[in-house]
């Protein structure tokens, strides 16, 4: 293992410390977000609204994705959350920077999250990574493509090892990928399409490759 | 209670105590970084590992509750190995910069590395680098040194009540800071320096100034607010280099406000270090003989008056009162703010519940005061009480952010607010008395405490919060107009021909009637000194042995840490010398003799370091003259950092004021 520089490696899309320049100066929840917030806060007992901080950070991130095309959480939005949940802003900053799922600086339109943990790596995540780089025009982890469409991030195990390798695009899992299917996926994204998520080889959920092997009715 | 055996020593500790506390009770030292007895338990440094019988592995003693019959071992090979392992991990990212680190010599990590550190590291990779943070003009940060104990985070959130510090990021990227660059908005921020176990948070004014072993340490008492916090004055070569709090559980626990901690650089600036006498309309340097001679010539046959300042020691005020009595003058006053105090009974002007007593209160009404600014350490005690639950605080007058929730109440509703409280407290700010209807305010506040059931034999719920360390002693001494004597307004308006100002710098000197012969005895040259005809250079609280009484009536001794600069002298000696020149020699020529005389005349000064008397045996209130006015209360102190000659002379305090006050204040008043 080599020494990792500060802020290097898989933390690259994750600005820690003083937030950088591109911060907007204001943020307000839109109607769609407000409707969700109401449902979420109602889940927690009175006085315990602070528990809703993680769902609210997701709502901010999705709203930013919807409205600006870049799903990230600006600092001012964290302040808005703090006020909404009656908690100190610092406590929101702590949560938002702790979880790598929250982007604290702007990202591309599509967030390509390549799982490189052992099962995916054994099943060919290097090919997925290579495909992302070549088709998406990305130099490596942490990079955002010149056209602003893609940001590439390495993530730890996504918990879908049975269908490895996995590429998570925003909130969707694309499974059983190889180089070609990854390229096809990225080309489709470029055209503005969202191919159906799930297995790229037609696997039914996590059933064996090629279809069910047992309880097929032919055992008798 | 639980019986615990620590290394064969049997101790009894309360149920719910931690193993670490049991070890301390047994006199066994357990190393720790994150554990602090006045903060919540975090359990994240792992340095306090001990072995517990039947536990499968070493346990973090700070976060492990005791059980009856538990056997603890603090010094076994397993424990030592475990701590060595923890230390090795802590040192992975800690820089080897002890030679240039200000914490060096008083660093927990350095000390414990001596016991548990290896002489070389097995870690070959590069150390991480963390950007330094800005957290205000008082604290210097070197974040590479941070070991993530989170004491500062917990202190800010729990004690100071400003949850602005936190840990952002995670793992290798975790950083302590404020995330948004800003100065920590607390009057207690200097305490972060003390609680930081390493050199990550150090004193900015003290940066690269000295090493702890070069300092001579003098135990004293802070006079810059009325809490009377226990302090330690660190001196090298006749210069005060820093001031730190000492532990005093009944007063300041172990905290100190930033004003008391950082204003010492004002002790060196703008000082009066030689006598001055006005000749031909101009102040000119003089010798002591000339200055005292000028007084001896000027005073006889004149109507005399004396005004005492807010941070004077009791000895000098007692001496001046004695001198005035010998010269036949009853014109004395110590109330520069004009507060309508009633000194006929001590509990009319004391913080009778006591600072530690706050922890028993269950409802508080604060009248015309912002304790966060007037006495931050006392405010932290209220916050500490609030943290334990079920405390309601009402504020009559301007409502400031006191770091705990408050409710604005009108004077008329305050009674209802305290209704049903078992131990109600009324905290009356001294500033609320400095107005026309001050006496009525005082009586109304007393009445409020009485009506709420706060004046009982086992509880005294009436509290007056003073602003400075010398104010209560002056009242105890009766430094007030005597029979037929004039008060301050009367003296200033031309009621006297000669006025002796003993460190009295807290009023507008232009109010002194023209033609009055003014003697200014004090340590800093401000407006009153400029108006004087004779200036007698005195000593600050770090330069004399003095007695001070805090707002709860606790008599404490300050000690001389350095000698006064130049020809300046201890104040009581100056007055003693003047009395001799005036032919009315005061009957003492040593501090001990003076103190004996003072204790004989005012027995309260014989009760050293004792809190307020418990309870109230006579609930008859102070006399209300006049009706309660309708005017809203004004807060007396807007600028926490610059309140008296010392703090106004301090560059550090000026920088704080410029940082924290919006809009920016004009540079140095006067």
């Amino acid at each position: 293992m080599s020494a990792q520089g500060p802020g290097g490696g898989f933390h690259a899309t994750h600005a820690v410390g003083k937030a950088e320049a591109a911060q907007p100066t204001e943020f307000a929840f839109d109607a769609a977000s407000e409707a969700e917030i109401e449902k979420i806060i109602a889940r927690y007992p009175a006085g315990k609204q602070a528990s809703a901080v993680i769902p609210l950070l997701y709502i901010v991130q999705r709203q930013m994705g919807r409205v600006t095309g870049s799903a990230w959480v600006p600092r001012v939005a964290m302040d808005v959350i703090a006020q909404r949940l009656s908690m100190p802003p610092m406590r929101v900053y702590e949560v938002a920077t702790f979880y790598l799922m929250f982007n604290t600086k702007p990202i591309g339109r599509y967030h390509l999250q390549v799982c490189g943990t052992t099962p995916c790596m054994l099943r060919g995540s290097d090919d997925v990574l290579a495909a992302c780089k070549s088709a998406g025009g990305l130099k490596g982890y942490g990079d955002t493509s010149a056209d602003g469409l893609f940001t590439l991030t390495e993530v730890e195990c996504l918990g879908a090892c049975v269908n490895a390798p996995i590429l998570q695009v925003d909130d969707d899992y694309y499974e059983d990928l190889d180089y070609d299917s990854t390229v096809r996926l990225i080309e489709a994204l470029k055209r503005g399409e969202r191919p159906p998520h799930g297995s790229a080889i037609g696997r039914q959920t996590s059933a064996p490759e090629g279809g069910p092997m047992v309880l097929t009715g032919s055992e008798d | 209670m639980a019986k615990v055996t620590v290394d064969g020593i049997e101790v009894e500790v309360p149920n719910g105590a931690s193993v670490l506390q049991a070890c301390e009770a047994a006199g066994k030292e357990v190393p720790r970084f994150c554990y602090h007895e006045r903060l919540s338990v975090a359990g994240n440094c792992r340095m306090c590992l001990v072995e517990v019988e039947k536990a499968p592995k070493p346990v973090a003693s700070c976060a492990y509750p005791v059980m009856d019959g538990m056997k603890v071992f603090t010094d076994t090979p397993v424990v030592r190995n475990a701590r060595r392992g923890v230390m090795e991990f802590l040192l992975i990212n800690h820089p080897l910069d002890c030679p240039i680190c200000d914490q060096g010599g008083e660093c927990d990590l350095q000390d414990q590395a001596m016991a548990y550190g290896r002489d070389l590291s097995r870690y070959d990779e590069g150390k991480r680098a963390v950007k330094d943070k800005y957290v205000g003009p008082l604290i210097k940060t070197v974040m590479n040194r941070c070991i993530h104990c989170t004491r500062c985070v917990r202190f800010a959130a729990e004690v100071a009540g400003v949850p602005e510090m936190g840990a952002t990021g995670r793992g290798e990227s975790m950083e302590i800071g404020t995330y948004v660059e800003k100065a920590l908005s607390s009057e207690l921020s200097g305490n972060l320096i003390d609680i930081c176990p390493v050199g990550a948070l150090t004193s900015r004014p003290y940066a690269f100034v000295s090493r702890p072993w070069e300092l001579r340490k003098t135990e004293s008492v802070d006079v810059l607010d009325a809490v009377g916090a226990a302090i330690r004055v660190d001196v090298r070569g006749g210069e005060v280099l820093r001031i730190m709090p000492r532990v005093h559980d009944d007063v300041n626990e172990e905290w100190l406000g930033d004003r008391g901690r950082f204003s010492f650089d004002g002790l060196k600036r703008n000082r009066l270090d030689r006598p001055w006498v006005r000749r031909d309309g101009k102040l000119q340097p003089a010798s002591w003989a000339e200055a005292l001679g000028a007084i001896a010539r000027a005073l006889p046959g004149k109507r005399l008056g004396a005004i005492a300042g807010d941070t004077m020691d009791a000895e000098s005020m007692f001496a001046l009162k004695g001198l005035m009595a010998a010269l036949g003058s009853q014109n004395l006053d110590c109330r520069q703010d004009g507060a309508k105090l009633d000194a006929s009974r001590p509990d009319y002007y004391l913080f009778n519940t006591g600072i530690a007593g706050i922890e028993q209160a269950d409802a508080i009404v604060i009248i015309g005061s912002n304790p966060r600014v007037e006495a931050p350490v006392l405010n932290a005690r209220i916050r500490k009480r609030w943290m334990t639950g079920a405390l309601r605080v009402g504020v009559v007058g301007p409502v400031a952010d006191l770091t705990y929730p408050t409710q604005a109440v009108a004077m008329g509703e305050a009674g209802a607010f305290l209704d049903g409280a078992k131990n109600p407290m009324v905290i009356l700010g001294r500033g609320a008395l400095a107005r026309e209807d001050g006496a009525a305010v005082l009586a109304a506040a007393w009445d409020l405490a009485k009506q709420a059931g706060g004046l009982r034999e086992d509880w005294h719920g009436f509290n007056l919060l003073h602003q400075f360390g010398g104010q209560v002693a002056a009242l105890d001494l009766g430094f007030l107009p005597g029979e037929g004597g004039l008060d301050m307004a009367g003296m200033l308006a031309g009621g006297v021909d000669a006025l002796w100002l003993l460190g009295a710098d807290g009023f507008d000197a232009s109010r002194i009637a023209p033609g009055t012969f003014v003697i200014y005895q004090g340590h800093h040259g401000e407006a009153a000194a400029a108006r004087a005809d004779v200036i007698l250079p005195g000593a600050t609280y770090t330069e004399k042995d003095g007695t001070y009484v805090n707002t709860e009536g606790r008599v404490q001794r300050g000690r001389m840490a350095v000698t006064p600069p130049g020809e300046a002298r201890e104040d009581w000696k100056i007055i003693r010398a003047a009395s001799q020149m005036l032919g009315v020699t005061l009957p003492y020529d040593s501090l001990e003799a003076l103190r004996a005389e003072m204790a004989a005349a005012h027995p309260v000064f014989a009760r050293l370091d004792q809190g307020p008397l418990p309870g109230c045996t006579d609930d008859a209130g102070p006399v209300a003259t006049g009706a309660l006015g309708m005017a809203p209360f004004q807060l007396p102190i807007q600028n926490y950092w610059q309140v008296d000659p010392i703090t106004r002379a301090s560059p550090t305090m000026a920088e704080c004021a410029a940082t924290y006050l919006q809009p920016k204040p004009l540079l140095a008043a006067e």
Side-chain angles (χ1 to χ4, degrees):
Chain A
M1 191 187 126
S2 68
Q4 213 176 54
F10 61 82
H11 293 171
T13 58
H14 204 74
V16 169
K18 200 187 164 195
E20 286 173 25
Q23 295 281 353
T25 53
E26 53 186 31
F27 177 88
F29 291 113
D30 61 15
S33 298
E34 286 289 359
E36 267 187 275
I37 291 171
E38 200 179 325
K39 271 186 267 171
I40 287 165
I41 293 184
R43 285 181 206 155
Y44 303 99
K48 305 279 182 196
Q49 316 88 326
S51 304
V53 61
I54 290 177
L56 257 64
L57 283 165
Y58 267 122
I59 290 175
V60 167
Q61 187 153 306
R62 296 209 181 98
Q63 178 179 326
M64 287 297 287
R66 226 170 29 237
V67 176
T68 69
S70 172
W72 67 297
V73 185
R75 213 202 71 223
V76 59
M78 298 182 208
D79 294 340
V80 171
I81 291 175
Q83 204 180 6
R84 178 66 65 96
L85 302 179
S86 317
M87 60 197 288
M90 189 66 220
R91 299 285 95 86
V92 183
Y93 306 153
E94 286 180 324
V95 173
T97 55
F98 183 89
Y99 292 105
L100 305 178
M101 300 81 185
F102 298 121
N103 306 306
T104 51
K105 62 182 189 184
I107 60 161
R109 177 75 193 82
Y110 301 102
H111 193 188
L112 306 179
Q113 298 154 80
V114 179
C115 174
T117 312
T118 316
C120 279
M121 193 265 281
L122 293 172
R123 296 281 294 156
S125 65
D126 289 351
D127 293 339
V128 176
L129 174 64
C132 289
K133 283 187 192 171
S134 61
L138 294 154
K139 287 193 272 298
Y141 289 132
D143 192 27
T144 298
S145 59
D147 53 13
L149 277 182
F150 302 106
T151 293
L152 187 62
T153 305
E154 182 182 36
V155 292
E156 296 304 318
C157 184
L158 292 170
C161 315
V162 71
N163 291 4
I166 313 293
L167 172 64
Q168 186 186 351
V169 179
D170 300 336
D171 293 338
D172 297 329
Y173 280 16
Y174 291 89
E175 303 153 7
D176 294 318
L177 294 170
D178 55 21
Y179 185 90
D180 295 330
S181 54
T182 309
V183 169
R184 279 198 300 280
L185 169 62
I186 289 175
E187 293 303 334
L189 292 172
K190 278 185 181 170
R191 291 192 300 273
E193 298 163 18
R194 279 271 185 177
H197 55 85
S199 173
I201 54 170
R203 193 203 298 256
Q204 183 192 357
T205 63
S206 54
E209 211 175 313
M213 308 291 281
V214 292
L215 301 179
T216 52
S218 58
E219 276 94 18
D220 315 325
Chain B
M1 300 294 274
K3 269 205 177 71
V4 182
T5 313
V6 182
D7 294 345
I9 303 169
E10 200 168 272
V11 287
E12 254 191 78
V13 290
N15 292 325
S18 65
V19 171
L20 192 148
Q21 285 165 324
C23 294
E24 288 195 331
K28 294 289 171 185
E29 198 176 318
V30 179
R32 83 287 303 266
F33 294 112
C34 72
Y35 176 79
H36 191 284
E37 58 267 31
R38 295 185 211 276
L39 301 174
S40 64
V41 172
N44 53 13
C45 78
R46 316 310 289 179
M47 197 62 201
C48 63
L49 294 173
V50 297
E51 227 183 329
V52 173
E53 194 182 61
K54 296 200 187 96
K57 46 187 183 169
V59 299
S61 60
C62 69
Y64 203 77
V66 292
M67 279 200 297
D68 201 30
M70 190 181 254
K71 285 199 173 67
V72 182
F73 304 95
T74 65
D75 194 22
T76 62
V78 170
V79 169
R80 262 177 273 161
N81 256 332
R83 289 182 188 162
R84 278 191 201 117
V86 170
M87 177 59 77
E88 192 173 1
F89 273 113
L90 286 175
L91 293 179
I92 279 179
N93 276 319
H94 192 81
L96 264 177
D97 62 353
C98 301
I100 58 147
C101 175
D102 271 316
Q103 193 84 353
E106 50 189 2
C107 173
D108 290 357
L109 188 63
Q110 208 177 26
D111 293 349
Q112 288 170 33
M114 294 303 291
Y116 298 104
R118 294 163 59 98
D119 54 353
L120 49 91
S121 176
R122 289 183 289 179
Y123 185 77
D124 291 331
E125 288 77 6
K127 291 180 188 254
R128 73 178 199 145
V130 184
K131 239 176 144 178
D132 293 341
K133 309 287 187 294
Y134 172 82
V135 291
L138 300 174
I139 297 172
K140 177 186 161 185
T141 66
V142 183
M143 298 315 287
N144 281 343
R145 297 176 187 150
C146 178
I147 58 168
H148 296 173
C149 70
T150 69
R151 273 189 192 179
C152 55
V153 176
R154 284 174 285 145
F155 175 85
E158 293 164 17
V159 178
V162 289
E164 293 164 7
M165 292 202 79
T168 53
R170 65 196 280 190
E172 174 93 346
S173 306
M174 177 170 157
E175 293 187 12
I176 298 289
T178 51
Y179 194 64
V180 187
E181 186 162 290
K182 62 178 287 192
L184 201 67
S185 57
S186 174
E187 295 75 21
L188 293 166
S189 64
N191 296 296
L192 292 176
I193 298 163
D194 292 345
I195 59 161
C196 181
V198 297
L201 307 176
T202 53
S203 168
R204 192 186 282 261
Y206 180 69
F208 307 128
V209 168
S210 180
R211 286 296 187 189
W213 55 84
E214 301 171 330
L215 300 169
R216 197 162 45 78
K217 301 167 177 72
T218 309
E219 299 196 342
S220 189
V221 49
D222 179 40
V223 303
L224 297 177
D225 65 31
V227 171
I231 57 169
R232 196 187 81 197
V233 183
D234 286 3
V235 173
R236 186 188 62 192
E239 194 182 358
V240 177
L241 293 184
R242 64 175 178 178
I243 291 178
M244 291 170 73
R246 284 183 293 130
V247 175
H248 193 319
D249 281 325
D250 290 336
V251 181
N252 58 321
E253 299 185 279
E254 59 189 83
W255 317 125
L256 181 60
D258 288 348
R259 189 160 77 201
R261 185 191 293 262
F262 290 109
S263 62
F264 60 85
D265 52 354
L267 297 171
K268 289 178 288 204
R269 288 176 173 75
N270 203 15
R271 285 301 298 272
L272 300 169
D273 57 358
R274 60 179 312 158
W276 297 73
V277 173
R278 192 176 293 276
R279 294 192 200 96
D280 313 323
K282 275 185 81 174
L283 277 170
Q284 292 178 1
S287 68
W288 272 108
E290 287 167 341
L292 294 175
I295 292 172
R297 278 192 305 279
L299 296 196
K302 289 224 170 83
R303 296 173 298 156
L304 305 179
I307 299 175
D310 289 326
T311 57
M312 296 312 294
D313 55 309
E315 286 84 352
S316 62
M317 290 189 284
F318 179 71
L320 185 57
K321 191 184 173 197
L323 175 64
M324 286 293 139
L327 294 172
S329 170
Q330 298 286 349
N331 306 321
L332 300 172
D333 210 341
C334 62
R335 300 161 300 180
Q336 294 182 78
D337 53 357
K340 305 276 193 298
L341 293 152
D342 185 339
S344 60
R345 244 172 65 183
D347 57 347
Y348 290 165
Y349 61 82
L350 291 181
F351 199 91
N352 298 300
T353 306
I355 295 171
I358 292 172
E359 289 179 30
Q360 266 78 54
D362 55 358
I364 300 178
V365 165
I366 298 170
I367 302 171
S369 171
N370 177 355
R372 180 173 175 183
V373 167
E374 288 163 36
V377 172
L378 187 145
N379 193 56
R381 195 67 87 115
I382 302 177
R383 180 178 162 79
K384 181 184 179 190
R385 168 65 194 83
W386 172 76
M387 293 279 281
T388 62
L391 175 76
R392 52 182 198 273
V393 182
V395 176
V396 181
V399 180
D401 174 12
L402 297 183
T403 70
Y404 40 84
T406 55
Q407 190 185 329
V409 292
M411 196 70 189
E413 303 162 0
F417 184 83
L418 290 177
D419 214 23
K422 202 167 141 277
N423 290 330
M425 266 181 91
V426 174
I427 298 178
L428 177 61
R430 182 178 164 123
L433 304 180
R435 44 190 254 161
E436 275 305 304
D437 58 346
V441 172
L442 180 67
W446 180 275
D447 221 41
L448 180 60
K450 186 171 159 180
Q451 299 303 332
L455 304 180
R456 307 190 305 259
E457 287 195 5
D458 63 332
W459 180 258
H460 202 320
F462 175 81
N463 299 284
L464 190 60
L465 180 56
H466 291 264
Q467 289 150 14
F468 294 101
Q471 291 177 322
V472 176
L475 296 169
D476 281 340
L477 290 166
F479 206 97
L480 295 162
E483 199 78 21
L486 294 170
D487 68 358
M488 178 161 147
M491 286 187 257
L492 294 185
V496 294
D497 305 317
L499 189 58
W500 192 306
L501 300 177
L502 178 62
D505 238 323
F507 66 97
D508 179 6
S510 65
R511 283 168 61 199
I512 301 173
T516 311
F517 182 84
V518 178
I519 300 161
Y520 181 78
Q521 176 181 351
H523 40 76
H524 277 73
E526 287 201 340
R531 168 66 183 80
D533 295 287
V534 176
I535 294 178
L536 306 174
T540 62
Y541 68 106
T542 55
E543 295 158 5
K544 60 186 168 192
D545 289 321
T547 302
Y548 301 94
V549 185
N550 80 352
T551 191
E552 52 174 3
R554 185 182 297 273
V555 179
Q556 304 189 98
R557 291 266 154 88
R559 286 181 189 81
M560 178 191 268
V562 289
T563 49
E567 293 179 46
R569 292 292 179 268
E570 288 168 75
D571 290 279
W572 77 269
K573 287 185 181 166
I574 297 172
I575 295 162
R576 168 68 174 64
S579 73
Q580 199 168 353
M581 295 290 276
L582 286 160
V584 286
T585 310
L586 292 169
Y588 33 77
D589 51 14
S590 72
L591 194 62
E592 289 66 39
L594 190 162
R595 281 178 176 166
E597 185 113 344
M598 184 165 74
H602 306 279
V604 62
F605 286 98
R607 293 177 69 233
L608 270 187
D609 196 18
Q610 289 179 46
L613 298 166
C616 175
T617 47
D618 177 6
D619 64 2
V623 183
T625 47
L628 200 58
M630 299 305 287
F633 290 107
Q634 306 284 331
L635 295 177
I637 298 178
Q638 303 291 346
N639 177 349
Y640 169 73
W641 295 272
Q642 296 169 306
V643 289
D644 78 317
I646 297 174
T647 49
R648 280 192 291 262
S650 159
T652 307
M653 291 292 102
E655 197 186 340
C656 284
T659 305
Y660 289 107
L661 293 178
Q662 296 291 340
K664 306 279 182 222
L666 295 171
L667 278 175
E670 284 139 16

